[in-house]
Structures are given as C-alpha cells and as structure tokens.
Amino acid sequence: MSGKARENFGSRFTVVMALAGSAIGLGNIWRFPYMVGEHGGAAFIIVYVLCSLFIALPIFFSESILGKSTGKDTFGAIESVTPGTKWKNEGYIALLGSFIIVSYYSVVGGWSVDFLVRSLTTGFAGESLEEASGIFTSMTSSVWEPLVTLTVFLGITAYIVGRGIEKGIGLFTKVMMPLLFLMIVVIVIRSCTLPGAGKGIEYLLKPDFSKIDGPAIAAALGQGFFSLSLGVGCVLTYSSYMRKEENVVDTGVWTAVFDTFFAIMASFAIMPAVFAAGLEPSAGPSLVYETLPVIFSKMGRVVPIIFFLSILIAAITSSISMMEVQAAYLVDQKGMSRKKATTLLFCASWIVGALCAVSTRIFSFCDFISSNVFMMIGAFVVAIVVGWKMKKSVVRNEFTNNGTGKGAGAVFPVVWFLVRWVAPIGIVIIAITNLL
Ligand code: PFF
C-alpha cells in the first residue's frame, strides 16, 4: 500500500459524471441504435430497461457497495470482505478484462481522432457512400495511420488517468459530459428535422413484440452490461473514490438514467438521418465511419465535427475508467506511483491495441472474450460475493447509508433478492445463450 491518503471525487456531481462517462461510450452510439431497430423498436427499449432494472442495476449497486464500503481497488475490496479466500482472484478478471477492452476500444477511439481531424480539415462534403467507405478502408488498412491515432487516443487516456482522480478523471468528466449532452441534442434536432426522418423515427419506435425472443433478451442484457461498464471493476474502482456521505443508490440510478437517456438520444441522432438519406441501418464501424460521414456532411461542415467530437469524448470518458481499474491496482497493491503506473499501462495497452489495429481477427477476438467471458464472470462473482459472502446487515447499511437513504430501506429486500438470485441466474443464462 502506498502511504498517501487516497483521493476522492470532490462532489456528487463529479461522481455521477465520472460514472456516466464510463457508461456512455461507443456502446451507446454504434451498438444500441442498431439493436433497437433490429429487435423490435420500442419493444426492445422496454426489454432493455427491464433487464437493466432487474439485473444490470443490482450488479451496479453491488460493485458500488464493494468499492465504497472498502475504499479499495478490486483486489483489495474483495479481499477485505472475504479475507483469506480465493474470491479476490476476481481482481485478475477485472484487470485482464479492462486491459483487453481498453486496448481494442482505443483503436476505435483512434479512428474517431482520425475522422475528427478529417472533418476539421478536408471535410467529407461531396463524398459518395463508396468514397466514404474507401476512406475508412484505406485508413484501417494503412499500417501507420491507425497506430498514430491509437497512440494519440491512448496518450490522452493515460495523461488524464495520470493526473489522478480529482484533477484528472473528475475534472475531465465534469466538464466534458455536459458538453457531450449538449452536442447530442444539437445532432438530434438536426437529424429529426430532415425531410424523410419520419421513417427512422418509426424504425426506432414502432413496437414489434414478435421480435422479442430469447436472443433479443440476451442481447438486451449483454448490451446493458457493456453499457453500464459492469464486471471489469470500473464501477467498483470509481465507487472506491466516493466520499462517505454519497450514496450508492442515487449515483447508480442517475448513472443508469443518463446512460439509457443518452443511448436513446444517440438513436434519434443517427437513425432518422440514415433513413432520410434513403440508406439502410447497420451496426458498428460501417455505420459510424462510412454511412454517417456522408449523411452528416450534407448538413454542413459543423455537424460532422460535432459528431466525431462527441464520439471522441464519449470514448475517452470510458477508456479512462478502464485504465483506472488497472492504475488503482498498481498504485494500491504494488505501491507504484501513478505516473509510473500510467506510463506502464500506456505501453502495455499500446502493444495489444496495435495488434488489434493490424488484425481484424485479434480485434474481434478481444471484443468477443471481453464482453462474453470476462464481463460475465466478473459480474457473476460480484453478485455472489455481495449476495452470499457479505453480511446482509453490512450490505443493507451501505445501501441505505446507515438507514438514512430515503426509500432505500423499503426497496432493499427487493434488491437483495435480485442480487442473490435473479442476477446470478440471469448472467449464467445470458452467458450460455451468447456463447452458443
Ligand atoms: N460502457 C462503455 C460503452 O458503452 O461504450 C464501454 C465500457 C466501459 C465497457 C468500461 C467496460 C468498461 F469497463
């Protein structure tokens, strides 16, 4: 342990912005809008909200309780509540999971650096869809370009984490998150007022309950986990920097509300524009880096700049949360200085990121195992540790802020049941469904 007192997020606003920053990311922008359209529009949104409420949010509370009650990193927190047992090895899952995610995520973050620079310099005006696809393909197949942008993105991430909790992560997220919300509102207004946008709105909203089947529910749950950054120690680590007077219920609920609200806003920023241009929606890179630049460039120079800046901010506020999981471990458990820890993490993530940048197979493999294996195992262990290994009275006290939290006492029995039974069983079912 380093002897210095541990930092904390100075205010409730900062904690919520940091947690919302972790939650809101590429998952909200390039996966959620497409999933909504594919899996039955408003019907999927309802399923997503229910899954988040009954499974993801209880896991979020559990991680938050572990972090806040112990004030330690993932290893330290689990060791404190289950001393001398093997449960603390969950720390390795969190470290490895967050490490793999930050590495491939930074490649995509790097693409947004590239596209932001393009929208600031040459712009995309006059590009046809084929030409825009060409830009993306030539960017990703170039050897040096993704490596340069990966270096920039990871460099910014490591710099912010290196500055610490208050002056780094806290300051960055509390300035950038409100800006991000503002920017997405501008794009939503622009997109929804385009001629022909109605079809996109219909695509998102028309409820089609016949599309709600097992895979749709598993997709909703998986997306809920990824979106709330669960299972790899982010929520636990951030919560360990919460001041004692904060409470896990308020911060958890606000984070989930902002995250879901942003995902829905992103859907309305993207899909109406796609349909107005007479194009078909798709998920992932092709939507964000091929279709949208063409569509947004028709709206003038400014919209693409706002769009890629939004993606960049959303991605950085998520990547810093992943790197912080590992930095907290190196600082708390290994006694390393924060600067040294972040330099080391920058180098290690750069190597794996570079492999992902040059090989689509490595990239997809990292994406697949982190969301389907590491996040699932991590979330399962957290539910077991909090639901079955910690004393109920301790969990209740933390959940209700020693009985002072308004209404928290009344909902605690429900949350306790969800953590002990519904979440672990739900996780096993999704994990199996997704792996099959
Ligand atoms: N929640 C982020 C998103 O939706 O893009 C991704 C993420 C962040 C996943 C942090 C995992 C994590 F630990």
Side-chain angles (χ1 to χ4, degrees):
M1 281 289 294
S2 63
K4 273 195 272 163
R6 226 159 167 269
E7 278 192 89
N8 60 40
F9 287 117
S11 66
R12 176 167 307 178
F13 179 72
T14 316
V15 181
V16 175
M17 288 302 108
L19 283 165
S22 171
I24 295 168
L26 298 167
N28 303 56
I29 299 173
W30 82 7
R31 201 129 55 94
F32 185 83
Y34 176 74
M35 282 181 133
V36 171
E38 270 291 272
H39 294 293
F44 180 81
I45 298 183
I46 296 170
V47 173
Y48 178 81
V49 169
L50 291 177
C51 291
S52 300
L53 215 54
F54 291 111
I55 300 187
L57 200 52
I59 298 287
F60 190 102
F61 289 144
S62 304
E63 276 201 35
S64 212
I65 286 171
L66 274 172
K68 189 186 166 219
S69 65
T70 58
K72 293 188 172 152
D73 71 297
T74 320
F75 274 96
I78 299 188
E79 172 64 11
S80 298
V81 298
T82 56
T85 65
K86 293 209 163 35
W87 291 104
K88 67 167 179 294
N89 291 327
E90 142 65 10
Y92 291 115
I93 304 272
L95 285 181
L96 208 58
S98 60
F99 174 71
I100 293 175
I101 303 177
V102 78
S103 305
Y104 80 80
Y105 205 86
S106 297
V107 174
V108 186
W111 297 343
S112 58
V113 172
D114 196 305
F115 273 66
L116 177 62
V117 172
R118 273 175 210 272
S119 48
L120 283 165
T121 52
T122 52
F124 299 94
E127 306 276 357
S128 66
L129 195 57
E130 287 71 34
E131 282 163 338
S133 305
I135 295 181
F136 181 67
T137 316
S138 81
M139 177 192 79
T140 46
S141 52
S142 143
V143 176
W144 62 271
E145 213 173 313
L147 295 184
V148 171
T149 54
L150 165 72
T151 311
V152 173
F153 184 88
L154 260 178
I156 301 173
T157 303
Y159 174 74
I160 298 168
V161 176
R163 283 180 59 93
I165 300 306
E166 243 198 303
K167 292 206 192 97
I169 296 174
L171 182 64
F172 186 78
T173 49
K174 78 180 166 199
V175 173
M176 291 300 175
M177 292 311 287
L179 187 68
L180 180 60
F181 275 102
L182 206 68
M183 290 194 296
I184 201 80
V185 169
V186 171
I187 307 177
V188 170
I189 295 172
R190 198 66 196 82
S191 175
C192 289
T193 51
L194 290 171
K199 273 210 197 111
I201 299 176
E202 197 180 300
Y203 174 81
L204 290 169
L205 285 186
K206 204 166 149 225
D208 181 355
F209 285 95
S210 69
K211 294 219 174 112
I212 302 299
D213 48 11
I217 297 172
L221 265 167
Q223 171 66 12
F225 270 44
F226 188 80
S227 199
L228 281 176
S229 314
L230 300 177
V232 287
C234 285
V235 177
L236 189 159
T237 308
Y238 270 11
S239 302
S240 73
Y241 302 117
M242 261 166 140
R243 297 175 309 171
K244 285 296 161 214
E245 61 266 36
E246 309 303 355
N247 80 65
V248 297
V249 180
D250 280 4
T251 43
V253 169
W254 277 115
T255 304
V257 166
F258 282 140
D259 185 43
T260 308
F261 176 73
F262 190 91
I264 294 172
M265 292 292 277
S267 309
F268 284 98
I270 292 170
M271 289 309 169
V274 171
F275 278 85
L279 297 169
E280 280 300 305
S282 61
S286 65
L287 172 68
V288 173
Y289 298 102
E290 292 174 20
T291 319
L292 289 174
V294 178
I295 299 172
F296 286 151
S297 66
K298 301 215 165 51
M299 304 177 194
R301 280 302 287 276
V302 181
V303 177
I305 297 174
I306 298 182
F307 181 67
F308 288 109
L309 188 60
S310 309
I311 298 190
L312 181 60
I313 293 176
I316 293 178
T317 54
S318 296
S319 65
I320 53 180
S321 71
M322 303 176 224
M323 191 178 274
E324 178 55 33
V325 172
Q326 306 145 51
Y329 165 76
L330 294 175
V331 172
D332 288 355
Q333 301 288 327
K334 300 287 167 199
M336 225 180 245
S337 75
R338 193 165 262 280
K339 291 269 169 313
K340 196 167 164 199
T342 44
T343 310
L344 185 75
L345 292 171
F346 168 84
C347 297
S349 306
W350 192 91
I351 295 171
V352 177
L355 292 174
C356 293
V358 295
S359 157
T360 326
R361 285 182 65 183
I362 299 180
F363 182 100
S364 310
F365 176 73
C366 288
D367 183 15
F368 180 82
I369 53 160
S370 49
S371 358
N372 292 295
V373 179
F374 289 104
M375 294 185 106
M376 295 296 151
I377 299 178
F380 181 80
V381 172
V382 164
I384 299 298
V385 167
V386 173
W388 296 91
K389 301 286 157 195
M390 276 176 86
K391 274 212 191 101
K392 184 177 179 181
S393 57
V394 174
V395 180
R396 187 197 292 113
N397 280 345
E398 203 50 64
F399 189 79
T400 61
N401 265 23
N402 294 317
T404 58
K406 284 176 269 146
V411 294
F412 178 73
V414 179
V415 173
W416 184 242
F417 176 75
L418 294 173
V419 171
R420 278 165 71 87
W421 294 103
V422 180
I425 295 172
I427 293 167
V428 171
I429 295 173
I430 330 164
I432 293 173
T433 315
N434 285 344
L435 288 175
L436 287 181

